[in-house]
Amino acid sequence: MSISIPRTSYRAAVGLSLFAVSCLVWLSLGVGIIGSDGARVNLLHGGVVLIGVAGCFITRLRAAGMARTLVAMAVTQAVIGLVAVLAGWGLPWSPPAEVLGLTAGFVSLFLGAAWLFQRGAGGRAVAS
């Protein structure tokens, strides 16, 4: 019995996406990625989650559409981190290196899941 690469990639993408979103929610609401725990600016990360939820409905969980959704989530996450550092949000609790490091980690997870979804689409171009 052989396992097809698109099916395995799709399942791995779903798992990685759920892991990344779970960690993002836990860190932003529980500990606080930007500033101290309970800082309202952390609610911006909810926008990343909302993009993911909307993308699931719009694309009907199709692999190519989910790849685009995860790229949009990564871009949004990066913008939030960059704006937070440039605006000085979270200081003195969250130094810029910490915010940028966590942001880079989540962007990497989202882009990794996007790549897996693209493989799950059978190699079709994401931009189509």
Side-chain angles (χ1 to χ4, degrees), residues 23-106:
C23 288
L24 180 63
V25 169
W26 174 61
L27 282 173
S28 62
L29 294 180
V31 179
I33 295 173
I34 304 169
S36 62
D37 63 344
R40 299 190 79 179
V41 71
N42 285 300
L43 295 176
L44 289 173
H45 294 103
V48 177
V49 177
L50 288 176
I51 289 170
V53 170
C56 288
F57 284 107
I58 292 168
T59 67
R60 297 181 186 163
L61 299 175
R62 291 188 190 111
M66 288 304 297
R68 288 189 294 273
T69 298
L70 268 294
V71 169
M73 291 171 70
V75 169
T76 304
Q77 181 69 41
V79 169
I80 291 170
L82 288 174
V83 169
V85 168
L86 293 175
W89 296 341
L91 292 174
W93 299 278
S94 299
E98 179 181 313
V99 173
L100 290 176
L102 287 169
T103 298
F106 283 111

